[in-house]
Amino acid sequence: MTIRIQIQSVLYDNEKSGIKKTLESVANAVRVAKGNGCDLKIVLSYGDSSEKPLYTKEEVEAIAGDFAADFDFRYRFFGYNSGSAKGQNELAKGADTEYIFIMNPDVILAPNFFEHILRPFEDPIVAMVEARQIPIEHAKEYDPETFETPWTTGACTMVRTEVFWKVDYYDQESFFMYCDDVDLAWRIRMKGYKLIYQPAALVYHAKRLSSKGAWLPSQAEIYYSAQASLFMAYKWSREDLLEQKLKAYRESGREDLQEIAKDFERRRREGNLPEQLDREHRIGYFDEGRYSAHRFII
């Protein structure tokens, strides 16, 4: 039986050399999987939210031709900065596959990736499977026996297409980027599905470290994570935490945090906030900026 997968990424001023490495890794992983008897039909779909297109029509045609034996290559220039949530939603709307693999554009697949990432889906209650990132593995917890995990990162996660549609995709109205994946995973769990962490499915994900081995977040990560944390607290019925964060942002002395707080309060006055969920707090987890317990500290 042929297994159909759409791999999709949102681009934003990425280096072409890095994208080429990703394309080559996907092609190699497809060849390895087919060599091991796994019949795959792969669509690799990029949505470009850069100010100007990264690729010309001729370059797109050349890439499609170079990798035609391994996957169908699709490239779409959005013409605006979509952010991750909206960009991924736009790409998913055209999917005609059983699975969607959502990944960052700087992810490189291991040769035996597909066999491992697909195995947990033999259980029909499993809706999402997350790969293991190297050199920096995600710190969140998972059950060491069942490998069930509370949420899956949008950097490298496979999801059943029908489930993604069933929960109405990412919440693009609330999340420009960051925490959109946590919110999606929690909503899928509310439907009774399981999320699995698959450490055997390896991907290399470029991350920056300090000279002491600490993770160095970008300014975009800091800003949009702060913004998203307000929507997470509100949407998942933690008004107590929301008010604490708003107060802290207003009194921080930082213009970026103050602006984030003002924008959220404006949307609240206008009634432009998402429906609140999980009022009994059965799904949501909030602890010092984390959305699950962590196994180690970066």
Side-chain angles (χ1 to χ4, degrees):
M1 182 181 69
T2 301
I3 300 173
R4 299 179 302 159
I5 303 169
Q6 174 162 297
I7 301 173
Q8 57 183 58
S9 291
V10 177
L11 305 177
Y12 184 78
D13 290 345
N14 298 88
E15 294 289 338
K16 291 182 180 179
S17 59
I19 295 174
K20 183 180 179 181
K21 291 179 181 178
T22 294
L23 297 175
E24 291 172 344
S25 77
V26 171
N28 185 56
V30 170
R31 291 192 290 267
V32 170
K34 290 182 176 179
N36 291 333
C38 184
D39 187 9
L40 297 177
K41 174 66 175 177
I42 303 294
V43 174
L44 200 158
S45 182
Y46 281 142
D48 189 353
S49 62
S50 308
E51 184 176 348
K52 298 179 180 179
L54 290 176
Y55 294 104
T56 64
K57 179 181 178 181
E58 292 73 21
E59 287 174 320
V60 171
E61 291 175 349
I63 293 171
D66 290 342
F67 293 99
D70 304 305
F71 54 78
D72 293 336
F73 180 74
R74 300 174 185 175
Y75 171 83
R76 175 180 173 187
F77 177 62
F78 290 142
Y80 60 93
N81 187 356
S82 66
S84 60
K86 185 173 183 178
Q88 294 288 4
N89 286 348
E90 289 298 315
L91 294 173
K93 290 175 183 176
D96 58 355
T97 58
E98 290 87 12
Y99 301 98
I100 294 173
F101 182 56
I102 299 166
M103 72 174 189
N104 281 22
D106 56 354
V107 160
I108 295 175
L109 307 187
N112 58 358
F113 170 81
F114 288 108
E115 299 99 303
H116 291 301
I117 199 74
L118 287 167
R119 189 166 296 123
F121 287 110
E122 294 173 3
D123 182 351
I125 205 67
V126 171
M128 299 179 79
V129 179
E130 177 185 352
R132 178 186 179 186
Q133 301 176 63
I134 57 172
I136 307 176
E137 184 178 3
H138 202 288
K140 67 178 181 298
E141 69 176 5
Y142 63 91
D143 187 302
E145 296 184 1
T146 67
F147 295 96
E148 193 168 353
T149 190
W151 64 275
T152 54
T153 172
C156 51
T157 291
M158 189 92 78
V159 59
R160 294 186 192 271
T161 305
E162 62 179 0
V163 175
F164 193 45
W165 292 343
K166 186 176 182 178
V167 298
D168 295 325
Y169 306 88
Y170 285 115
D171 179 359
Q172 67 185 46
E173 301 302 323
S174 300
F175 305 102
F176 182 75
M177 58 193 305
Y178 302 113
C179 292
D180 49 346
D181 49 3
V182 183
D183 172 72
L184 173 68
W186 286 358
R187 286 187 285 118
I188 288 176
R189 283 177 54 204
M190 287 185 70
K191 296 291 186 181
Y193 292 100
K194 292 181 180 179
L195 317 177
I196 299 298
Y197 178 62
Q198 174 57 299
L202 291 176
V203 301
Y204 174 80
H205 185 195
K207 282 287 185 180
R208 298 179 302 160
L209 293 176
S210 72
S211 59
K212 296 182 179 180
W215 172 51
L216 294 174
S218 67
Q219 287 303 310
E221 287 173 314
I222 294 171
Y223 180 90
Y224 288 112
S225 293
Q227 182 186 68
S229 71
L230 297 181
F231 285 92
M232 285 294 291
Y234 177 84
K235 184 172 182 177
W236 291 90
S237 303
R238 285 297 306 270
E239 289 88 347
D240 58 330
L241 184 58
L242 171 65
E243 296 308 321
Q244 292 174 19
K245 286 181 174 290
L246 285 171
K247 183 175 185 294
Y249 288 8
R250 288 192 298 263
E251 298 176 356
S252 67
R254 288 177 46 183
E255 291 185 4
D256 56 345
L257 294 182
Q258 291 169 349
E259 186 59 35
I260 289 171
K262 288 179 182 178
D263 182 67
F264 182 88
E265 290 168 331
R266 175 187 58 78
R267 289 188 58 169
R268 181 160 58 178
R269 288 193 304 271
E270 295 173 352
N272 188 21
L273 291 176
E275 176 188 0
Q276 289 188 290
L277 306 172
D278 193 31
R279 293 187 180 277
E280 296 180 353
H281 304 149
R282 294 179 178 177
I283 300 292
Y285 179 102
F286 296 84
D287 179 31
E288 297 183 353
R290 304 187 186 103
Y291 300 103
S292 72
H294 280 195
R295 295 174 289 119
F296 57 89
I297 303 298
I298 295 180

Short mmCIF file of all heavy atoms in Angstrom, two decimals, residues 64-87:
data_model
loop_
_atom_site.label_atom_id
_atom_site.label_comp_id
_atom_site.label_asym_id
_atom_site.label_seq_id
_atom_site.Cartn_x
_atom_site.Cartn_y
_atom_site.Cartn_z
N ALA A 64 12.36 20.90 -9.21
CA ALA A 64 11.36 19.86 -9.42
C ALA A 64 11.90 18.76 -10.32
O ALA A 64 11.66 17.57 -10.09
CB ALA A 64 10.09 20.47 -10.01
N GLY A 65 12.65 19.15 -11.34
CA GLY A 65 13.22 18.16 -12.25
C GLY A 65 14.31 17.33 -11.60
O GLY A 65 14.38 16.11 -11.79
N ASP A 66 15.16 17.98 -10.81
CA ASP A 66 16.27 17.28 -10.16
C ASP A 66 15.78 16.19 -9.20
O ASP A 66 16.44 15.15 -9.05
CB ASP A 66 17.15 18.27 -9.40
CG ASP A 66 17.95 19.18 -10.32
OD1 ASP A 66 18.09 18.84 -11.51
OD2 ASP A 66 18.42 20.23 -9.84
N PHE A 67 14.65 16.44 -8.54
CA PHE A 67 14.18 15.51 -7.51
C PHE A 67 12.90 14.77 -7.92
O PHE A 67 12.23 14.16 -7.07
CB PHE A 67 13.93 16.27 -6.20
CG PHE A 67 15.18 16.81 -5.58
CD1 PHE A 67 15.54 18.15 -5.74
CD2 PHE A 67 16.03 15.99 -4.85
CE1 PHE A 67 16.69 18.65 -5.17
CE2 PHE A 67 17.19 16.48 -4.28
CZ PHE A 67 17.53 17.82 -4.43
N ALA A 68 12.58 14.79 -9.21
CA ALA A 68 11.32 14.21 -9.68
C ALA A 68 11.19 12.73 -9.33
O ALA A 68 10.08 12.23 -9.10
CB ALA A 68 11.17 14.42 -11.18
N ALA A 69 12.30 12.02 -9.27
CA ALA A 69 12.25 10.58 -8.98
C ALA A 69 11.95 10.29 -7.52
O ALA A 69 11.54 9.17 -7.18
CB ALA A 69 13.58 9.93 -9.37
N ASP A 70 12.11 11.31 -6.65
CA ASP A 70 11.98 11.08 -5.22
C ASP A 70 10.75 11.74 -4.61
O ASP A 70 10.14 11.20 -3.68
CB ASP A 70 13.24 11.59 -4.50
CG ASP A 70 14.50 10.94 -5.04
OD1 ASP A 70 14.56 9.70 -5.04
OD2 ASP A 70 15.40 11.68 -5.49
N PHE A 71 10.38 12.93 -5.10
CA PHE A 71 9.20 13.62 -4.57
C PHE A 71 8.72 14.68 -5.55
O PHE A 71 9.47 15.12 -6.43
CB PHE A 71 9.49 14.24 -3.20
CG PHE A 71 10.68 15.15 -3.14
CD1 PHE A 71 10.62 16.46 -3.64
CD2 PHE A 71 11.88 14.72 -2.57
CE1 PHE A 71 11.72 17.30 -3.57
CE2 PHE A 71 12.99 15.56 -2.51
CZ PHE A 71 12.91 16.84 -3.01
N ASP A 72 7.47 15.07 -5.37
CA ASP A 72 6.90 16.19 -6.13
C ASP A 72 7.22 17.48 -5.38
O ASP A 72 6.86 17.62 -4.21
CB ASP A 72 5.39 16.04 -6.27
CG ASP A 72 4.99 14.86 -7.12
OD1 ASP A 72 5.81 14.43 -7.95
OD2 ASP A 72 3.87 14.35 -6.95
N PHE A 73 7.88 18.41 -6.06
CA PHE A 73 8.28 19.66 -5.43
C PHE A 73 7.30 20.76 -5.77
O PHE A 73 6.97 20.98 -6.95
CB PHE A 73 9.68 20.06 -5.88
CG PHE A 73 10.17 21.34 -5.27
CD1 PHE A 73 10.56 21.38 -3.94
CD2 PHE A 73 10.23 22.51 -6.02
CE1 PHE A 73 11.01 22.57 -3.36
CE2 PHE A 73 10.68 23.69 -5.45
CZ PHE A 73 11.06 23.72 -4.11
N ARG A 74 6.82 21.47 -4.75
CA ARG A 74 5.90 22.58 -4.95
C ARG A 74 6.40 23.81 -4.19
O ARG A 74 6.87 23.69 -3.05
CB ARG A 74 4.49 22.21 -4.47
CG ARG A 74 3.90 21.01 -5.23
CD ARG A 74 2.58 20.57 -4.66
NE ARG A 74 2.09 19.37 -5.31
CZ ARG A 74 1.00 18.71 -4.95
NH1 ARG A 74 0.27 19.15 -3.92
NH2 ARG A 74 0.63 17.62 -5.59
N TYR A 75 6.29 24.94 -4.82
CA TYR A 75 6.75 26.20 -4.21
C TYR A 75 5.69 27.27 -4.44
O TYR A 75 5.20 27.44 -5.56
CB TYR A 75 8.07 26.63 -4.83
CG TYR A 75 8.53 28.01 -4.44
CD1 TYR A 75 9.21 28.25 -3.24
CD2 TYR A 75 8.29 29.11 -5.29
CE1 TYR A 75 9.63 29.52 -2.90
CE2 TYR A 75 8.71 30.38 -4.94
CZ TYR A 75 9.38 30.58 -3.75
OH TYR A 75 9.79 31.85 -3.41
N ARG A 76 5.34 27.96 -3.36
CA ARG A 76 4.33 29.01 -3.44
C ARG A 76 4.84 30.25 -2.74
O ARG A 76 5.24 30.20 -1.57
CB ARG A 76 3.05 28.51 -2.77
CG ARG A 76 1.94 29.57 -2.68
CD ARG A 76 0.73 28.97 -1.99
NE ARG A 76 -0.29 29.97 -1.72
CZ ARG A 76 -1.39 29.73 -1.01
NH1 ARG A 76 -1.62 28.51 -0.53
NH2 ARG A 76 -2.26 30.70 -0.79
N PHE A 77 4.85 31.36 -3.44
CA PHE A 77 5.23 32.64 -2.84
C PHE A 77 3.97 33.32 -2.31
O PHE A 77 3.05 33.62 -3.07
CB PHE A 77 5.92 33.54 -3.86
CG PHE A 77 6.28 34.89 -3.33
CD1 PHE A 77 7.16 35.03 -2.28
CD2 PHE A 77 5.72 36.04 -3.89
CE1 PHE A 77 7.48 36.28 -1.78
CE2 PHE A 77 6.03 37.29 -3.40
CZ PHE A 77 6.92 37.42 -2.33
N PHE A 78 3.91 33.55 -0.99
CA PHE A 78 2.72 34.11 -0.38
C PHE A 78 2.54 35.60 -0.71
O PHE A 78 1.42 36.08 -0.84
CB PHE A 78 2.75 33.94 1.13
CG PHE A 78 2.59 32.52 1.60
CD1 PHE A 78 3.32 32.05 2.68
CD2 PHE A 78 1.71 31.66 0.98
CE1 PHE A 78 3.16 30.75 3.12
CE2 PHE A 78 1.55 30.36 1.41
CZ PHE A 78 2.28 29.89 2.49
N GLY A 79 3.64 36.34 -0.77
CA GLY A 79 3.54 37.78 -1.00
C GLY A 79 3.34 38.58 0.26
O GLY A 79 3.11 39.78 0.20
N TYR A 80 3.43 37.94 1.41
CA TYR A 80 3.31 38.61 2.70
C TYR A 80 3.94 37.71 3.75
O TYR A 80 4.16 36.52 3.51
CB TYR A 80 1.85 38.88 3.06
CG TYR A 80 1.00 37.62 3.15
CD1 TYR A 80 0.82 36.96 4.36
CD2 TYR A 80 0.39 37.09 2.01
CE1 TYR A 80 0.06 35.80 4.44
CE2 TYR A 80 -0.36 35.93 2.08
CZ TYR A 80 -0.53 35.29 3.30
OH TYR A 80 -1.27 34.14 3.36
N ASN A 81 4.24 38.28 4.91
CA ASN A 81 4.82 37.49 5.99
C ASN A 81 3.69 36.77 6.73
O ASN A 81 3.00 37.37 7.55
CB ASN A 81 5.61 38.39 6.95
CG ASN A 81 6.36 37.59 8.00
OD1 ASN A 81 6.25 36.37 8.07
ND2 ASN A 81 7.14 38.27 8.82
N SER A 82 3.52 35.52 6.44
CA SER A 82 2.39 34.75 6.96
C SER A 82 2.56 34.34 8.41
O SER A 82 1.57 34.05 9.10
CB SER A 82 2.22 33.48 6.12
OG SER A 82 3.34 32.62 6.28
N GLY A 83 3.81 34.30 8.91
CA GLY A 83 4.04 33.64 10.18
C GLY A 83 3.94 32.14 9.99
O GLY A 83 3.53 31.65 8.93
N SER A 84 4.27 31.39 11.02
CA SER A 84 4.27 29.94 10.87
C SER A 84 2.88 29.35 10.82
O SER A 84 2.57 28.49 9.99
CB SER A 84 5.08 29.30 12.01
OG SER A 84 4.51 29.62 13.28
N ALA A 85 1.98 29.78 11.72
CA ALA A 85 0.66 29.17 11.82
C ALA A 85 -0.15 29.34 10.53
O ALA A 85 -0.64 28.36 9.96
CB ALA A 85 -0.10 29.75 13.00
N LYS A 86 -0.28 30.56 10.05
CA LYS A 86 -1.06 30.79 8.84
C LYS A 86 -0.40 30.15 7.63
O LYS A 86 -1.08 29.57 6.77
CB LYS A 86 -1.25 32.29 8.62
CG LYS A 86 -2.16 32.60 7.44
CD LYS A 86 -2.47 34.09 7.34
CE LYS A 86 -3.45 34.37 6.19
NZ LYS A 86 -3.80 35.81 6.11
N GLY A 87 0.91 30.24 7.56
CA GLY A 87 1.61 29.65 6.43
C GLY A 87 1.41 28.14 6.36
O GLY A 87 1.14 27.59 5.29
#
